[in-house]
Amino acid sequence: MNVYEGPVQDVIDQLGRLPGIGPVSAQRIAFWLLDQPADDVHQLAEALTTLKQKVRWCSVCFNVSQDELCRICSDPRRDRSAICVVEESKDVAAIERTHEFKGLYHVLGGSLSPIEGRGPNELHLRELVNRLADQQVTEVILATNPNVKGDVTATYITRLLKDLPGVRVTRLASGLPVGGELEYADAVTLGRAFNGRQWMTS
Amino acid sequence: MNVYEGPVQDVIDQLGRLPGIGPVSAQRIAFWLLDQPADDVHQLAEALTTLKQKVRWCSVCFNVSQDELCRICSDPRRDRSAICVVEESKDVAAIERTHEFKGLYHVLGGSLSPIEGRGPNELHLRELVNRLADQQVTEVILATNPNVKGDVTATYITRLLKDLPGVRVTRLASGLPVGGELEYADAVTLGRAFNGRQWMTS
């Protein structure tokens, strides 16, 4: 129900369309914005406009980018022998935060999901195979999500790449989250932790 | 940590400043926006800009408004003998949704809170007293929040208005929320429900 006058209701309606923001949060944000300096609100509006104007996708790895090549692909310090395959740009950010990986990425643009109409042609799979053609890459790390769709996608890619000479395909370990407690782990995760158990003595 | 390139990180930073939106939600919204048509994102940016340009406060009741007078104050069908006093414009919207009240409002702009430095002079109290001067108003309904600050504010206003001739001051009932269960009611609410119990037989 539209109980507010024009501009306030417009902002509430627009904010309410964003994922994870319900009508109550939208209202709260709208009134919070009313209390902010006009410059701050202008900056938010500008950032949104710039987002759509300036952001593109890296022509090599399909990560978000400002230029033809993303920051990672154009960084000469990155290890060009390893490619980490992820579903979305968000996953690149998550992995970058770990500082564990110094190679390159390949963003698929989702996972295989026949139900949602996403088959192999909807993902950037051909481009991945093309990147492996020059034999510089020796490891492809599959970092799709540890769920059914991510697993199916990882299995598909494994089969796709299995005959490529000199390329090892690996998959991120599944297991108990660090800091968690065994008693609260779900059975599937605990089962994977068992299957993936590692030597403590050699 | 800034893991995204310019415009994406800018939007995440800006959204992350909004109340109730953490870095994870901000990131989720930013990538959702990247997938939306440019026009939709432009509309959101426009709505935000318009908000600060067009919204003002009603010169009579201090509700949000587009004009000198808000929609409610300028509506000739509203009952001018009753004024409902609320803390914020949001509360006006909440009461309007009930369709129970056809009078006018007065938005205080908060509640009395010495700790947060809000005394009587920080609220629109003088303006409330001025509105009662022409003796058209016969009832002032105090609808400040049912918490300590709202109660203190209601008590203060009751004392402020107690000598005005022909004005009855009332307060919204506190009690059990409709649809709730007695067993889950907190002791204070249950106590108020007892104190405010009403005759079923007369």
Side-chain angles (χ1 to χ4, degrees):
Chain A
M1 205 178 65
N2 293 0
V3 289
Y4 294 107
E5 303 195 25
V8 180
Q9 191 63 46
D10 284 351
V11 164
I12 294 176
D13 291 345
Q14 290 285 339
L15 291 172
R17 293 175 50 241
L18 303 178
I21 299 192
V24 174
S25 314
Q27 176 181 288
R28 189 171 157 216
I29 294 170
F31 279 97
W32 182 86
L33 288 169
L34 273 174
D35 285 339
Q36 301 305 304
D39 272 3
D40 288 15
V41 179
H42 182 67
Q43 265 181 34
L44 170 59
E46 277 291 295
L48 293 167
T49 307
T50 309
L51 181 75
K52 291 302 283 189
Q53 284 167 352
K54 296 253 176 85
V55 173
R56 44 201 283 191
W57 311 99
C58 174
S59 63
V60 169
C61 77
F62 303 97
N63 191 8
V64 284
S65 179
Q66 284 188 86
D67 303 298
E68 174 76 15
L69 287 187
C70 78
R71 222 158 53 167
I72 295 169
C73 282
S74 57
D75 183 345
R77 289 163 304 179
R78 306 292 300 215
D79 172 9
R80 269 142 219 287
S81 71
I83 291 181
C84 180
V85 177
V86 296
E87 295 181 17
E88 309 277 1
S89 285
K90 285 179 269 200
D91 305 324
V92 172
I95 294 172
E96 284 295 286
R97 281 188 209 106
T98 70
H99 299 289
E100 286 285 336
F101 180 66
K102 294 297 168 207
L104 303 177
Y105 291 93
H106 192 81
V107 180
L108 295 172
S111 54
L112 291 176
S113 172
I115 293 169
E116 295 162 69
R118 272 200 313 281
N121 291 330
E122 273 68 50
L123 305 181
H124 298 299
L125 284 171
R126 190 172 321 128
E127 294 90 343
L128 172 63
V129 175
N130 289 344
R131 287 180 71 182
L132 304 175
D134 67 358
Q135 304 191 356
Q136 204 182 0
V137 177
T138 55
E139 181 173 6
V140 171
I141 301 164
L142 301 178
T144 51
N145 284 323
N147 55 27
V148 174
K149 287 189 282 187
D151 285 346
V152 167
T153 310
T155 307
Y156 184 89
I157 297 174
T158 305
R159 254 183 315 188
L160 190 68
L161 306 183
K162 76 174 190 304
D163 294 329
L164 278 181
V167 176
R168 192 171 39 151
V169 179
T170 59
R171 174 109 172 90
L172 289 194
S174 271
L176 299 171
V178 177
E181 289 178 47
L182 207 128
E183 127 179 61
Y184 299 119
D186 65 286
V188 178
T189 300
L190 195 52
R192 290 225 185 159
F194 260 100
N195 285 331
R197 66 192 181 276
Q198 308 197 340
W199 291 104
M200 297 295 283
T201 55
S202 56
Chain B
M1 204 180 65
N2 293 359
V3 290
Y4 293 108
E5 304 196 25
V8 179
Q9 191 63 45
D10 284 351
V11 164
I12 294 176
D13 291 345
Q14 291 284 339
L15 290 173
R17 292 175 53 243
L18 302 178
I21 299 194
V24 175
S25 314
Q27 176 182 289
R28 188 171 156 215
I29 294 169
F31 278 97
W32 183 85
L33 288 170
L34 274 175
D35 285 339
Q36 301 304 305
D39 272 2
D40 287 15
V41 179
H42 182 67
Q43 266 180 33
L44 169 59
E46 278 289 296
L48 293 167
T49 307
T50 310
L51 181 75
K52 290 303 280 189
Q53 284 168 351
K54 297 253 176 86
V55 173
R56 44 201 284 191
W57 311 99
C58 174
S59 64
V60 170
C61 76
F62 302 98
N63 190 7
V64 284
S65 180
Q66 282 189 88
D67 304 300
E68 174 77 15
L69 288 186
C70 76
R71 222 158 53 166
I72 295 169
C73 283
S74 57
D75 183 347
R77 290 163 302 180
R78 306 292 300 214
D79 172 9
R80 268 141 220 289
S81 71
I83 290 181
C84 179
V85 177
V86 296
E87 297 181 17
E88 309 277 2
S89 286
K90 284 178 270 200
D91 305 324
V92 172
I95 294 171
E96 285 294 287
R97 280 187 211 108
T98 70
H99 299 290
E100 287 286 337
F101 180 65
K102 293 296 167 206
L104 303 177
Y105 291 92
H106 192 82
V107 179
L108 295 172
S111 54
L112 291 176
S113 172
I115 293 168
E116 295 162 69
R118 272 199 313 280
N121 291 331
E122 273 67 51
L123 304 182
H124 299 300
L125 284 170
R126 191 174 319 129
E127 294 90 343
L128 173 63
V129 174
N130 290 344
R131 287 179 72 182
L132 303 175
D134 67 358
Q135 303 189 355
Q136 205 182 359
V137 176
T138 55
E139 182 174 6
V140 171
I141 301 164
L142 302 177
T144 50
N145 285 323
N147 55 27
V148 174
K149 287 189 281 185
D151 285 345
V152 167
T153 309
T155 307
Y156 183 90
I157 298 175
T158 305
R159 257 184 312 189
L160 189 69
L161 305 184
K162 75 175 189 304
D163 295 330
L164 279 182
V167 176
R168 191 172 38 151
V169 179
T170 58
R171 173 109 172 90
L172 289 194
S174 271
L176 299 171
V178 177
E181 288 177 49
L182 208 130
E183 130 179 58
Y184 299 119
D186 65 286
V188 179
T189 300
L190 195 52
R192 291 224 185 160
F194 260 100
N195 286 330
R197 65 192 181 277
Q198 308 199 340
W199 292 104
M200 297 295 283
T201 57
S202 56

